[in-house]
Amino acid sequence: MNEAIKEAKLAFDNNEVPVGGVLIDNKTNEIIERSYNKINVKKNAIYHCEIDLIINSCEKLSQKYLNDTVMFVTLEPCTMCASAISEVHIDKLYFGAYDEKNGGIEERKVILKKQHTFNTEIYGGIMEKECRSLLKNFFKKIRK
C-alpha cells in the first residue's frame, strides 16, 4: 500500500483527486504497473486510477486478463472500477479508505454472487488513516 500512497501523492501534486494504485504480479511480487487518477489531465471523467492500471497492464503484458495479480489502491473503487477489476480477473484487491459516497465494493459484492462472474478477493481499510488524510488535505486545499 505504501507504493499506492506514493502514487496518490503524485496525483495530489498534479491537482488530481489523490487516488493511487499499483498492480502486482502475484508470482514474482514485482510491480507490473503504477498509476494515479488522471481525470483532469485527460479531461475524461472515467480515467480513474484503476482503469489506467488495467489498460496499461493489459497492453504491457499483451493479454486481456490479469490473472495472478493483486491491486492495491488508496480508495475504495467505484462500481465502474470494481466491475473492471472483476472483468479482467484480478485475484485480490486491497484498498485503503472507504468511500461512503461513491464506493462500489458493497454493491459489487452482490453482483459477484451471480454465476459466471469472476470473484476477486477484497480487503478494505488497509492503511486507511494515511489514505483518508491525503483525500481530506486535498479537498481542504481546493476549497480555500
Side-chain angles (χ1 to χ4, degrees):
M1 188 60 77
N2 286 319
E3 294 300 315
I5 290 171
K6 286 179 187 176
E7 293 299 310
K9 288 178 180 177
L10 288 173
F12 186 100
D13 292 342
N14 286 293
N15 294 314
E16 296 281 356
V17 174
V19 177
V22 292
L23 188 74
I24 308 291
D25 183 314
N26 220 11
K27 293 177 184 173
T28 65
N29 290 324
E30 302 266 331
I31 294 175
I32 297 169
E33 193 65 43
R34 52 178 63 240
S35 189
Y36 56 86
N37 273 3
K38 295 179 180 154
I39 293 167
N40 294 328
V41 71
K42 297 283 188 178
K43 295 179 179 33
N44 185 331
I46 66 169
Y47 224 94
H48 294 193
C49 170
E50 300 92 331
I51 299 299
D52 192 44
L53 281 172
I54 289 168
I55 290 169
N56 291 335
S57 296
C58 286
E59 286 178 7
K60 182 184 252 182
L61 300 172
S62 298
Q63 58 193 47
K64 64 181 181 178
Y65 295 116
L66 298 172
N67 295 314
D68 297 318
T69 61
V70 177
M71 183 181 286
F72 288 84
V73 66
T74 57
L75 182 64
E76 176 184 1
C78 67
T79 302
M80 172 186 69
C81 291
S83 293
I85 289 165
S86 172
E87 191 66 32
V88 297
H89 299 184
I90 292 172
D91 291 330
K92 295 179 185 175
L93 166 70
Y94 294 89
F95 69 87
Y98 286 87
D99 185 352
E100 282 92 39
K101 183 179 176 191
N102 294 313
I105 295 301
E106 290 304 316
E107 184 177 330
R108 186 73 184 134
K109 282 183 180 177
V110 173
I111 295 168
L112 287 173
K113 292 178 184 174
K114 293 182 179 182
Q115 279 188 316
H116 310 296
T117 302
F118 185 83
N119 192 2
T120 299
E121 290 180 40
I122 301 166
Y123 305 93
I126 312 301
M127 298 179 71
E128 183 173 13
K129 184 178 177 183
E130 296 90 330
C131 296
R132 183 166 308 288
S133 176
L134 270 171
L135 290 160
K136 284 183 179 182
N137 290 337
F138 176 77
F139 288 109
K140 279 182 191 175
K141 177 180 104 171
I142 65 169
R143 290 184 180 135
K144 284 184 178 182

